[in-house]
Structures are given as C-alpha cells and as structure tokens.
C-alpha cells in the first residue's frame, strides 16, 4: 500500500497544477508505472483539452515509441479521480485504458458526476482491468472539494476571506480605506484569485475601496468579478466597470449586458439572498467564489451557514476602534505566519 500511496501522491501533486485552469472540470493527475519506475505522467491542464490519462499515455507513446505497447500491457495506471466513461469534450478515458491493455488501475476516489459515478470503474473491471480504489481518498476529495461541492450541492464552493486587526477590527468606522495585512498576504490573495472562478464583494466595498479585483501581483488569470448592488447605485467611474474583466452585477432592478458587464436581476434581496446568489452563480458554471467583503456581505453567508472555507489574516496592529470583524465559532484547521500577519484557515463543520 505504501507503494500505491507514493505514486498517488505524485498524481495529486500533478493534479494541483491545474488549479484555476480546468474549472468546471475537476483537477486530475495520472501516473503510469512499470516495474517500479514512472514511464509516463500527465494532468488535466486546461478545460476542454486532453484529460490526465490521455497526457500520461501519450507521454509513454512519445518516450518509448518502439516498446510502448508492451510496456503499457505490463503497467499500472494511477489516477487521482475515477476515469470518465462518457464522451464529453474528449473521449472516455476508461476506454483509452482498456484499448491499451493496461492491466491494473489504482484510483483515489470516485467521480460523483452522474455521467461517471462508478461507471468508469465498472467499465474497467468488466474489461478485465484490476482496479484498486480508495488510495489517498481523503486527500483526493480535499483537492477537488470545489468540484464535489458543485456536483453534490449544486452551488459554488464558498471561500470567505478577510483581514482583521489584533483587537478584532475589520475596517475603520469613517468609511475610509485602510490596509490591515502586509505585502506577503496581499500577494497570496492575488494567487488565490487566480485559482478560483470568481470574487464577490458588496456595494460598500466597491464604493469605498474602489478595488480592481485582478491578479496584478500574481501571474495568473483574472477571475470573474461579482458585485452586489441592489438598486444599481454604484457610479460607472469605479474600477469594476473598466471592462477589463467579466463582471456580474447582481441587483434587483435590471437584466442587461454592457460590454463585459452583465447585470442580473435577482428575484429578491430580502429573502434567502445567499441561496439566490449561489444558485445564480451555479447557473453560470461558477465552481468557486472568494467572498472578499465587506462585513455585511460576509455575515450574510455566515448567518445562512452557506460557506465552506474561511481564510482570515490577523495582523499585529491594534486600532482600538472601528467596525468589528465577523466571527467564526470554531477552531482553525491551520495557522500560517506571513510576515506580521497570521493566516488562519477554517473549514465549515
């Protein structure tokens, strides 16, 4: 089993390279082993492109052109997620494994997507492939927690993010912008933005901070910007209206499109607002959202119990007054020191 875990750990490391690039597909890594030696590996690199198994098998074919068929017929294929059994944007990976006569497959976890969910494994076993399941399953489920949340709960994976002072303040009480976290934390936030599908803020944050909500401090894609503006009161001079990034304004007045800005009218801002937001974003194929503020918006999701992860920076500075930060009544799973800040990570129990 230790040998299986070693190669599955490599699959998970490879899969993570697809972060921010494959949504709404899951991140998947694949390793092909012959006589305790990796002869091919790959990962799902971009949505709509070749899956991990395809890339790994192609690497074997390219690196061992004369003996690839023989090698594959005596190898074990490791995959961090059940191989697909349906034709989507690419052919079924289970059929590819069968076609190359790979005799053994080790799978971390099943794919809950209804077009797969056990069918890939069934197809392999019915073709005579020996399948081992559940190797590093917990780690695989955690890696693709966004995908599993979307499939099982039919909503995006919700990440709450904020910074607070050592004495628990979130923002000044004079409606002026004031930084709390340091440079390392700010760069990390831009990396997170590149890994998720969307960033969501409320009207007051958009107006007071005038954020660009891009990834200028990290070499990655810009996520969609989501803004709550019930009565469409935000001035068009703000950075969120610069047409540089697809932006969705959730409101109660109008549904229209202006350049890269989409205005979507929700049925009501008074009842089940967090649920309505999640359902609308699910319809847009948005798999994960970072909610960056303000306090009213963060508390909206906390009070509704609709959140999956919270990332909170606590600085060593003290203000003595201001608007109090939201609170989470559970212990942090992880704490990381970043300069003068401490990052606490929570997973919703």
């Amino acid at each position: 089993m230790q040998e299986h875990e070693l190669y599955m750990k490599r699959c998970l490391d490879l899969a993570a390279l697809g972060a921010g690039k494959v949504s709404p597909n899951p991140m998947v890594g694949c390793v092909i082993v012959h006589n305790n030696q990796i002869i091919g590996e790959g990962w799902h690199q971009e949505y709509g492109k070749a899956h991990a198994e395809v890339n790994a098998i192609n690497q074997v074919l390219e690196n061992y052109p004369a003996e690839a068929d023989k090698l594959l017929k005596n190898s074990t294929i490791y995959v961090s997620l059940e191989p697909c059994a349906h034709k989507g944007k690419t052919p079924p990976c289970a059929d590819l494994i069968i076609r190359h006569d790979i005799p053994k497959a080790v799978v971390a976890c099943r794919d809950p997507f209804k077009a797969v969910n056990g069918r890939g494994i069934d197809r392999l076993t019915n073709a005579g492939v020996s399948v081992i399941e559940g190797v590093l399953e917990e780690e695989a489920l955690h890696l693709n927690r966004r995908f599993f949340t979307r499939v099982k709960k039919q909503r995006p994976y919700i990440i709450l993010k904020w910074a607070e002072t050592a004495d628990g303040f979130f923002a000044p009480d004079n409606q002026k912008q004031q930084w709390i976290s340091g440079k390392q934390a700010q760069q990390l936030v831009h990396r997170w933005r590149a890994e998720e599908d969307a960033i969501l803020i409320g009207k007051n944050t958009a107006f007071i901070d005038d954020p660009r909500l891009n990834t200028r401090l990290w070499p990655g894609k810009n996520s969609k910007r989501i803004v709550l503006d019930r009565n469409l009161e935000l001035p068009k001079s703000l950075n969120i209206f610069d047409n540089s990034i697809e932006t969705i304004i959730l409101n109660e007045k109008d549904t229209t499109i202006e350049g890269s800005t989409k205005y979507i009218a929700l049925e009501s801002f008074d009842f089940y607002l967090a649920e309505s937001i999640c359902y609308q974003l699910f319809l847009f194929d948005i798999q994960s959202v970072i909610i960056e503020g303000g306090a009213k918006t963060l508390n909206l999701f906390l009070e509704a119990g609709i959140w999956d992860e919270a990332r909170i920076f606590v600085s060593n500075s003290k203000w003595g007054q201001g608007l109090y930060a939201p609170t989470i009544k559970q212990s942090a799973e992880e704490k990381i020191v970043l300069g003068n800040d401490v990052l606490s990570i929570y997973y919703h129990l």
Side-chain angles (χ1 to χ4, degrees), residues 245-266:
I245 304 170
E246 182 179 345
T247 302
I248 299 171
I249 310 294
L250 298 177
N251 67 91
E252 209 174 50
K253 300 288 186 181
D254 194 19
T255 296
T256 189
I257 298 176
E258 294 180 5
S260 296
T261 304
K262 297 179 181 177
Y263 295 85
I264 304 296
L266 301 181

Side-chain angles (χ1 to χ4, degrees), residues 268-337:
S268 172
F269 266 60
D270 292 321
F271 303 101
Y272 302 107
L273 179 56
E275 290 86 346
S276 295
I277 292 168
C278 285
Y279 181 65
Q280 187 62 61
L281 299 184
F282 171 78
L283 294 178
F284 280 133
D285 261 351
I286 291 174
Q287 186 164 261
S288 61
V289 182
I290 300 178
I291 299 177
E292 295 201 6
K296 182 179 178 181
T297 303
L298 289 161
N299 279 319
L300 171 70
F301 286 85
L302 281 168
E303 291 167 7
I306 301 176
W307 63 280
D308 301 288
E309 187 174 336
R311 303 170 181 177
I312 304 170
F313 295 101
V314 180
S315 76
N316 62 2
S317 62
K318 294 183 178 181
W319 286 359
Q321 62 181 12
L323 300 177
Y324 281 106
T327 57
I328 292 181
K329 297 178 181 179
Q330 64 181 67
S331 300
E333 296 283 337
E334 188 176 357
K335 291 194 174 185
I336 303 167
V337 177

Side-chain angles (χ1 to χ4, degrees), residues 8-26:
M8 190 59 72
K9 177 63 168 61
R10 177 59 179 167
C11 287
L12 294 171
D13 289 342
L14 289 168
L17 296 175
K21 301 169 186 173
V22 301
S23 176
N25 282 353

Side-chain angles (χ1 to χ4, degrees), residues 208-260:
I208 295 168
D209 295 348
D210 192 16
R212 284 177 276 180
L213 300 180
N214 59 18
T215 56
R216 60 193 178 278
L217 300 180
W218 188 262
K221 69 170 180 63
N222 287 313
S223 300
K224 292 180 175 66
R225 302 182 289 205
I226 316 293
V227 182
L228 306 182
D229 184 11
R230 178 174 186 167
N231 296 310
L232 297 179
E233 298 172 307
L234 291 171
K236 298 295 180 66
S237 58
L238 295 176
N239 285 319
I240 58 168
F241 296 108
D242 65 6
N243 280 315
S244 64
I245 304 170
E246 182 179 345
T247 302
I248 299 171
I249 310 294
L250 298 177
N251 67 91
E252 209 174 50
K253 300 288 186 181
D254 194 19
T255 296
T256 189
I257 298 176
E258 294 180 5
S260 296

Side-chain angles (χ1 to χ4, degrees), residues 180-227:
I180 296 177
S181 54
K183 293 290 186 182
Q184 287 176 282
Q186 292 170 30
Q187 186 177 38
L188 180 57
V189 168
H190 283 234
R191 173 182 171 179
W192 289 343
R193 289 175 178 177
E195 293 174 346
E196 310 303 337
D197 286 355
I199 310 157
L200 187 148
I201 61 172
K203 181 191 71 174
N204 289 340
T205 298
F207 184 73
I208 295 168
D209 295 348
D210 192 16
R212 284 177 276 180
L213 300 180
N214 59 18
T215 56
R216 60 193 178 278
L217 300 180
W218 188 262
K221 69 170 180 63
N222 287 313
S223 300
K224 292 180 175 66
R225 302 182 289 205
I226 316 293
V227 182

Side-chain angles (χ1 to χ4, degrees), residues 32 50 52-63 96 100:
I32 299 173
E53 299 93 322
V54 176
N55 290 328
I57 289 173
N58 282 344
Q59 191 176 87
V60 176
L61 296 174
E62 292 168 6
N63 291 345
L96 181 68
H100 284 284

